[in-house]
Amino acid sequence: MFEGLRSSGAVPGNGDLHVTSTHNDDPVARSLAAGSANVLSLHGCTAVQAGLPAGTKGLVVGGGNGRLRTILADKLGRAGFVVAAGDPEQLNGDLPENICNRTLTGEGGGQLELTYELRKSLFTDFAGAPNASSPTKRAQSTNADFWKFTDACRAALAQMESEQLARGSIFDRPVVG
């Protein structure tokens, strides 16, 4: 996980540290993605970027694997999370260069863009990024919504893997048409 630790209002700001998912060249991350049947990446956005009203606790479901996107949207929606109906081009994660789409199966992965409000709601203490004096602040402040979110994501990945294995091989792609 990468999170900028520059203070609010710092010049240059954390935006200068942003590495897009299509420009992630970390060899360990790329190796992990390439060796995994399915990848799910988490990103942050604003509600407006997600096509939602300002202040909405919601998310965009993206990624190159259309079936995984459908399953994720269903599981997260059923868990009570607001899933944006649109497909914002800059957030949908469907480019082949996106690290989440560089999977072992070649089917692509899933990408979730969580609004700030949703990210904040998953913790009892969201007063800033972990740092040297408090490296586990957020890890120690997860709440029931955090675990609902985690469980929904895990269930979606388990269903995707089950469907892949039911095809006889995780490398067999579904026939379309």
Side-chain angles (χ1 to χ4, degrees):
M1 181 177 136
F2 178 81
E3 184 167 10
L5 299 177
R6 292 181 176 164
S7 62
S8 179
V11 177
N14 284 321
D16 290 349
L17 302 174
H18 184 249
V19 178
T20 66
S21 54
T22 57
H23 291 100
N24 187 322
D25 62 357
D26 178 78
V28 173
R30 290 178 70 172
S31 177
L32 286 169
S36 300
N38 296 291
V39 171
L40 179 61
S41 64
L42 305 178
H43 301 263
C45 67
T46 67
V48 173
Q49 288 172 319
L52 298 167
T56 302
K57 293 189 288 187
L59 65 138
V60 173
V61 178
N65 185 326
R67 178 65 184 143
L68 180 56
R69 287 172 76 152
T70 299
I71 297 169
L72 282 163
D74 177 65
K75 299 286 188 196
L76 288 161
R78 288 176 186 266
F81 295 98
V82 175
V83 178
D87 189 26
E89 182 61 34
Q90 294 179 331
L91 301 181
N92 68 13
D94 64 353
L95 295 174
E97 302 84 25
N98 185 321
I99 192 165
C100 83
N101 295 325
R102 298 177 179 194
T103 61
L104 181 64
T105 64
E107 288 182 84
Q111 176 172 304
L112 301 178
E113 293 276 355
L114 285 66
T115 65
Y116 173 79
E117 293 79 11
L118 176 56
R119 296 190 313 271
K120 186 175 178 181
S121 77
L122 301 176
F123 303 91
T124 58
D125 184 356
F126 195 75
N131 56 48
S133 65
S134 181
T136 59
K137 181 185 275 186
R138 288 195 193 144
Q140 295 171 344
S141 71
T142 58
N143 61 27
D145 284 342
F146 175 91
W147 293 108
K148 278 195 327 186
F149 179 84
T150 302
D151 289 345
C153 291
R154 287 179 175 163
L157 289 167
Q159 181 177 334
M160 184 72 233
E161 185 175 314
S162 175
E163 290 180 14
Q164 289 167 322
L165 291 171
R167 296 192 304 245
S169 169
I170 61 170
F171 300 105
D172 293 337
R173 294 188 185 190
V175 177
V176 179

